[in-house]
Amino acid sequence: MTHSTGSGQGAREKLIEAASQRILLTDGAFGTEIQNRKLVEADYRGPLELHKDQKGNNDILALTRPDVVDAITRAYLAAGSDIVSTNTFSANRISQADYGAEHLVGDINRASAGLARAAADDFSAKDGRPRFVAGAIGPTNKTLSLSPDVNDPGYREIDFDGLKDVYREQCDALIEGGVDFILIETVFDTLNAKAGIMAAIEAARVIGRDVPLMISMTLTDLSGRNLSGHTVEAFWHAVRHARPVTIGLNCSFGAQQLRPHVQTLAQTADTLIMVYPNAGLPNELGEYDELPHQTAALVGEWAERGTVNILGGCCGSTPAHIAAMAKAVEGCAPRKLPAPPVVTRLAGLEQITLAA
């Protein structure tokens, strides 16, 4: 597999170099774009002999309707995305068990990574600008930090090693398919993220090259904590050891609600900040009404204040949102990385800094 971005050791350096010159763009939502195509169950199932209803299994489209995944990926690249993510948010053994498709996890991830890689390379070949592929890993519907049984606080549906193995299967296939980065996104449970981090590090070690991590937290309330209770600063201190090439926030809220938390993270983290909010908050029908120019104006303010390096969209965002963001941040200087003093920083639910 040829990687035009110089994947492996080169991907980290190439992304940092590109991000030092201008604010970069990642892509937007896959789910809402797929919904807009009004696919029927037969589209999802294709020729696969599966015993459960596949409607809504967006990840399996890499095998059954690759044209849909390819078209969405290329629409984001055409809108200006420098980074595209694989359509693999739920392409893990736990999530695919709901569809009776666990045995296809490796195939789905390799296929989705291959589609994104080919599209990114095609766009790079046209203008010489590097495009990157992030292998997307979602949180699953299990949590390591909390019990699903209110009567048994100590009960867990899965243990750390089990979840790490689930993530490892996905990481191996994504890397084999040609991704530049592993994106651990929508982190609601920091311990889940740590299992993903360990899996990604192990997978990279086996192949003997650097596969940089992108890590993105999701907030569950306006106080700025995730479901396992970490503030954004505490979360950063909990994952900084993994040397992620980006840290950031996605999903949960629109740009307006995320603004103070983006500011906090930008002052704290000595790596690139990547933020991709929802297109506002959903209406009573669960749909997103925030128009591209509205989202672009909000994230454009972050760019003007020098608090972000990479921008994109999550739920409800479209290629039009990305194109509007590209226009809004044109000419804005990228955030400069802070150089925090070398001290011991730890994380409980809050951050703690030990004096030298």
Side-chain angles (χ1 to χ4, degrees):
M1 177 80 57
T2 301
H3 303 172
S4 68
T5 58
S7 119
Q9 299 237 327
R12 185 188 297 269
E13 290 76 18
K14 287 205 171 201
L15 185 72
I16 291 169
E17 182 188 353
S20 71
Q21 296 166 17
R22 61 187 175 85
I23 292 172
L24 303 180
L25 293 160
T26 186
D27 56 11
F30 262 94
T32 39
E33 286 298 288
I34 289 169
Q35 285 171 17
N36 289 342
R37 280 161 170 77
K38 311 290 184 197
L39 302 178
V40 297
E41 202 270 346
D43 289 306
Y44 292 90
R45 176 183 297 275
L48 301 174
E49 294 182 6
L50 295 165
H51 303 297
K52 292 188 177 180
D53 191 309
Q54 296 302 306
K55 184 126 192 240
N57 188 1
N58 291 342
D59 307 74
I60 211 165
L61 293 171
L63 301 179
T64 56
R65 286 295 305 273
D67 58 308
V68 170
V69 179
D70 183 62
I72 293 169
T73 303
R74 288 174 188 270
Y76 282 123
L77 287 162
S81 295
D82 299 281
I83 304 160
V84 285
S85 52
T86 56
N87 180 39
T88 52
F89 186 81
S90 299
N92 61 74
R93 212 182 311 147
I94 292 169
S95 302
Q96 286 301 312
D98 293 343
Y99 297 99
E102 324 70 318
H103 60 294
L104 295 173
V105 162
D107 293 339
I108 292 169
N109 283 282
R110 279 187 293 272
S112 197
L115 289 166
R117 178 81 269 154
D121 288 353
D122 284 351
F123 273 78
S124 290
K126 286 176 191 169
D127 61 12
R129 199 175 97 209
R131 305 304 200 286
F132 302 90
V133 177
I137 292 181
T140 80
N141 55 12
K142 309 288 184 197
T143 169
L144 289 172
S145 295
L146 302 165
S147 171
D149 184 352
V150 292
N151 298 313
D152 186 358
Y155 173 69
R156 298 292 184 272
E157 285 184 288
I158 193 168
D159 62 19
F160 185 90
D161 287 340
L163 186 55
K164 187 206 74 173
D165 289 345
V166 166
Y167 281 136
R168 175 63 193 279
E169 180 182 22
Q170 194 174 5
C171 288
D172 284 342
L174 286 168
I175 292 169
E176 192 180 333
V179 303
D180 296 302
F181 312 108
I182 295 294
L183 167 62
I184 301 172
E185 65 175 336
T186 321
V187 176
F188 66 80
D189 181 340
T190 305
L191 196 54
N192 281 33
K194 284 177 173 277
I197 288 167
M198 191 168 177
I201 289 172
E202 283 184 2
R205 191 178 293 149
V206 166
I207 61 166
R209 65 174 171 84
D210 180 32
V211 181
L213 283 164
M214 295 173 151
I215 302 176
S216 189
M217 176 190 190
T218 192
L219 305 179
T220 51
D221 60 51
L222 291 171
S223 72
R225 295 178 185 270
N226 66 359
L227 193 63
S228 56
H230 285 95
T231 62
V232 291
E233 303 102 315
F235 179 75
W236 167 240
H237 295 331
V239 301
R240 183 177 180 269
H241 68 280
R243 293 178 60 239
V245 70
T246 71
I247 188 77
L249 300 166
N250 77 290
C251 205
S252 59
F253 302 114
Q256 201 156 4
Q257 291 78 16
L258 281 185
R259 183 181 56 79
H261 309 299
V262 173
Q263 182 80 35
T264 299
L265 194 56
Q267 293 165 348
T268 307
D270 54 344
T271 193
L272 302 176
I273 299 288
M274 181 166 83
V275 187
Y276 48 116
N278 290 346
L281 295 172
N283 60 27
E284 59 276 9
L285 299 174
E287 294 170 344
Y288 293 86
D289 299 323
E290 194 170 273
L291 297 171
H293 74 273
Q294 295 173 311
T295 308
L298 292 166
V299 301
E301 289 176 17
W302 303 345
E304 287 165 10
R305 291 178 185 174
T307 55
V308 288
N309 301 99
I310 306 170
L311 286 168
C314 205
C315 303
S317 59
T318 66
H321 285 80
I322 302 304
M325 287 181 197
K327 196 173 175 185
V329 304
E330 197 173 347
C332 291
R335 165 182 169 269
K336 287 185 166 44
L337 273 57
V342 179
V343 293
T344 301
R345 295 179 178 85
L346 304 173
L349 295 184
E350 308 278 345
Q351 65 164 336
I352 181 170
T353 302
L354 300 184

